[in-house]
Amino acid sequence: MNQSIGDVWQRVLGTQAAPPHWLVLACAGTALLAILPHPVWRLSRNVVTIAHEGGHGLVALLTGRRLHGIQLHSDTSGLTVSSGRPTGPGMVLTAAAGYTAPSLLGLGGASLLAVGHTTALLWLCVLLLAAMLPRLRNAFGLLTVLLTGAAFFAVSWWGTEQLQAVFACLGVWFLLLGGVRPVLELQGKRRRGGARDSDADQLARLTGVGGLLWVALFLVVALSCLLAGGSQLLSA
């Protein structure tokens, strides 16, 4: 801990070398391995749930709603409770933020990596996770966010430039790819008659636009972010 505040600030604001293309592709392949096999996905999906519920919470605050709390459950489900007008743009944006948040965060992360701001990306993740902590209302959610934040902090503080690049690139690919599967799972549940209170169905009741169209919008956002973010990573 012999670094001055100035040294840390310089690291955060400075740029780092972009990882080589073979490493970017290796990270993409590793991220796929964390998403496709169902037993692994049951564990790794918790990270997507953090982004999903964090998206609900952030947009609720940005639209002037009162955020009461966030819960993350061991079955990878989550719940974000806010109050305010039961209808209107604020409620619609809050409901729509969950399934789009992982992909949009992945796209933002890819943009930062593409211009060499690897350390800044890691610190931004630490700050977002830290801001989420006071809003958590159950022990599992608190533990999950603490462990995730600790991993980001450890890599950003003690990790070499190469380790930071690998960790950040893997995380971005995971969000970009992991943002697609929950949307497909959502429609699968809806087709089987489940998930009647899902984000898409809540949006259908709020707007009069069918739930299937909201699922399609979530999927378009996820695939667009994957295409744009992946292109940035591969062209950096």
Side-chain angles (χ1 to χ4, degrees):
M1 302 289 288
N2 57 357
Q3 300 182 74
S4 68
I5 294 178
D7 292 335
V8 174
W9 192 244
Q10 186 174 8
R11 285 179 59 195
V12 172
L13 294 182
T15 58
Q16 294 77 39
H21 282 187
W22 69 265
L23 185 57
V24 174
L25 291 172
C27 287
T30 304
L32 274 175
L33 292 177
I35 292 167
L36 294 181
H38 186 68
V40 180
W41 175 241
R42 287 185 62 185
L43 178 63
S44 63
R45 197 185 194 280
N46 286 292
V47 177
V48 177
T49 304
I50 292 174
H52 180 115
E53 300 302 332
H56 282 313
L58 177 60
V59 174
L61 291 172
L62 291 176
T63 55
R65 297 181 62 78
R66 184 178 179 185
L67 179 60
H68 295 286
I70 297 172
Q71 294 184 29
L72 306 173
H73 304 136
S74 58
D75 63 356
T76 73
S77 65
L79 176 67
T80 299
V81 179
S82 65
S83 62
R85 287 187 58 191
T87 58
M91 187 62 207
V92 171
L93 290 173
T94 299
Y99 279 99
T100 55
S103 297
L104 291 172
L105 286 172
L107 178 59
S111 299
L112 286 174
L113 284 181
V115 294
H117 287 296
T118 305
T119 304
L121 170 60
L122 295 175
W123 275 90
L124 179 60
C125 291
V126 171
L127 292 175
L128 289 173
L129 290 166
M132 195 174 179
L133 285 174
R135 306 290 183 172
L136 294 168
R137 296 294 180 266
N138 67 324
F140 181 82
L142 185 63
L143 178 62
T144 302
V145 173
L146 275 174
L147 290 176
T148 306
F152 274 93
F153 176 78
V155 172
S156 65
W157 189 266
W158 291 291
T160 63
E161 186 172 310
Q162 292 75 17
L163 177 59
Q164 290 185 17
V166 171
F167 189 83
C169 188
L170 182 59
V172 167
W173 273 119
F174 178 79
L175 288 173
L176 290 172
L177 293 165
V180 178
R181 181 164 178 173
V183 180
L184 300 177
E185 291 177 339
L186 169 62
Q187 184 54 29
K189 291 178 182 178
R190 295 182 73 252
R191 188 170 57 248
R192 293 189 297 271
R196 293 183 179 180
D197 206 31
S198 70
D199 293 351
D201 293 283
Q202 290 183 47
L203 285 163
R205 291 191 289 269
L206 285 167
T207 64
V209 177
L212 181 59
L213 291 179
W214 282 107
V215 174
L217 176 62
F218 295 159
L219 186 59
V220 168
V221 170
L223 293 176
S224 298
C225 288
L226 174 58
L227 179 61
S231 298
Q232 290 185 71
L233 290 172
L234 292 171
S235 62

